[in-house]
Amino acid sequence: MLKKDIPYFAEKLKQMYPDAKTELYYNNEFQLLIAILMSAQATDKQVNIVNRNFFEFLKTPKDWIELWIEEIKMFIDSISFFNNKAKNIYKTCEILVKKYDSKIPKTIEELVELPWVWIKTAKVFLAVIEDAPYIWVDTHVHRVLNRLWLVNTKTPLETDKKISKNFTKENHSQLHNTLVLFWRYHCQARKPKCETCPFKEKCNFYKKI
């Protein structure tokens, strides 16, 4: 695919997933931020199972006052890196209460100052809450975009830089959630559903199998 193919790619994915949205469970902006933080090195399904109970007790940053780190660990101990995540959830709540009056900051610069929140985390949060023109480039998105020759890069970081230059803001908004669903349910790493893929004729991976 070439740069001119990007709108076609975005539109096709929109047709495949017309109601695309994050699959993380949450009831408000604060819970979404915590859910994204917890999803690092864990699946949305695992995080959702935990959070349906956890979020009955952690509804706002102020609930941090009632919860200690050890209690948070007990809620999330089935999630990978739960010790570090519990500490950082606790610290994040404390910062949000004391520095931001329990409101969630809405810039990447402010968000990445929170514990365990990286640029990718901030982009996901803002793309969902603010419909901001960001794509969260992880290893999966990196894989898909290279398979389809929309980029030719070696790392997710390189991919992120490349699409920032070649993709329009409209493309970013359209592709954020649809790309996640596409790699999760169609263009998987080990067993992609190539035979039913609308992009197979332009896919590097398909040409090699």
Side-chain angles (χ1 to χ4, degrees), residues 156-169:
L157 181 58
E158 287 181 26
T159 299
D160 187 62
K161 291 179 180 178
K162 193 75 173 179
I163 66 174
S164 296
K165 294 179 180 178
N166 293 344
F167 286 42
T168 66
K169 289 184 177 181

Side-chain angles (χ1 to χ4, degrees), residues 26-91:
Y26 68 99
N27 297 299
N28 55 46
E29 294 182 0
F30 164 68
Q31 288 184 340
L32 175 63
L33 181 65
I34 298 302
I36 296 170
L37 185 156
M38 289 173 61
S39 69
Q41 302 298 313
T43 66
D44 287 1
K45 184 177 181 180
Q46 291 172 314
V47 172
N48 288 343
I49 290 171
V50 169
N51 283 346
R52 293 207 178 261
N53 182 34
F54 184 35
F55 284 167
E56 289 297 312
F57 297 86
L58 188 70
K59 297 179 180 178
T60 73
K62 289 183 180 178
D63 292 326
W64 144 81
I65 296 170
E66 303 296 329
L67 290 172
W68 294 94
I69 293 176
E70 292 305 316
E71 289 180 281
I72 296 175
K73 287 182 183 180
M74 290 174 63
F75 277 110
I76 70 170
D77 63 2
S78 61
I79 299 294
S80 57
F81 304 107
F82 72 91
N83 282 308
N84 284 333
K85 288 178 181 179
K87 292 175 185 176
N88 286 303
I89 289 170
Y90 185 86
K91 290 177 184 176

Side-chain angles (χ1 to χ4, degrees), residues 1 11 52 74-75 94 114 127 146 163:
M1 286 189 178
E11 184 59 33
R52 293 207 178 261
M74 290 174 63
F75 277 110
E94 183 177 17
L114 298 172
N146 274 276
I163 66 174

Side-chain angles (χ1 to χ4, degrees), residues 71-125:
E71 289 180 281
I72 296 175
K73 287 182 183 180
M74 290 174 63
F75 277 110
I76 70 170
D77 63 2
S78 61
I79 299 294
S80 57
F81 304 107
F82 72 91
N83 282 308
N84 284 333
K85 288 178 181 179
K87 292 175 185 176
N88 286 303
I89 289 170
Y90 185 86
K91 290 177 184 176
T92 293
C93 291
E94 183 177 17
I95 292 169
L96 290 174
V97 169
K98 293 183 177 180
K99 185 174 180 179
Y100 294 103
D101 193 26
S102 293
K103 297 180 176 64
I104 314 300
K106 297 294 177 61
T107 68
I108 288 179
E109 292 75 19
E110 291 173 311
L111 285 167
V112 296
E113 291 182 353
L114 298 172
W116 206 272
V117 176
W118 299 291
I119 290 178
K120 289 189 291 186
T121 314
K123 285 183 175 181
V124 173
F125 176 78

